[in-house]
Amino acid sequence: MEEIRIPESELEIMKVLWERSPQTLPEIVGNVRRVMPWEAVTVKTLLGRLVKKQFVRRSGSRRSYLYEPLIERAAVLKSSVRRFMDTMFDGAPGAMLSFFVRSGELSPEEIEELERTIEELKHE
């Protein structure tokens, strides 16, 4: 699997684009400002970086560019979780899962969901 690294600042832009795409720069600025107090120039700079990395596509004409993600949220999540698991749990998914289950951070509903998922995987 190819590793995908996106800094947290750029990830905020990606989250907005994953929620709805395509979007214009003013739309993205407005949506990002709901969670981050960034100026338009900051958002434009971060978008430019994402376009250069080929994580985002820019199409249309100069006055009305449209932006949309070229990578899926699931791929970024998978890469980030893999990196975390490799670093903190020596690459062992069972150890990571056990840690989170035993940490007391999961709600009863989340534990039930995890149990259902495990049962489904057993029967595949």
Side-chain angles (χ1 to χ4, degrees), residues 85-103:
M85 184 174 60
D86 289 347
T87 301
M88 303 304 293
F89 298 95
D90 296 325
M96 184 176 76
L97 188 57
S98 292
F99 171 79
F100 285 111
V101 169
R102 295 177 190 275
S103 71

Side-chain angles (χ1 to χ4, degrees), residues 16-17 19-25 27-28 31 57 59 65-69:
V16 164
L17 289 171
E19 188 153 322
R20 185 177 61 79
S21 285
Q23 292 186 54
T24 63
L25 178 61
E27 290 172 323
I28 296 167
N31 289 322
R57 174 185 305 134
S59 59
Y65 284 132
L66 289 174
Y67 297 88
E68 60 187 312

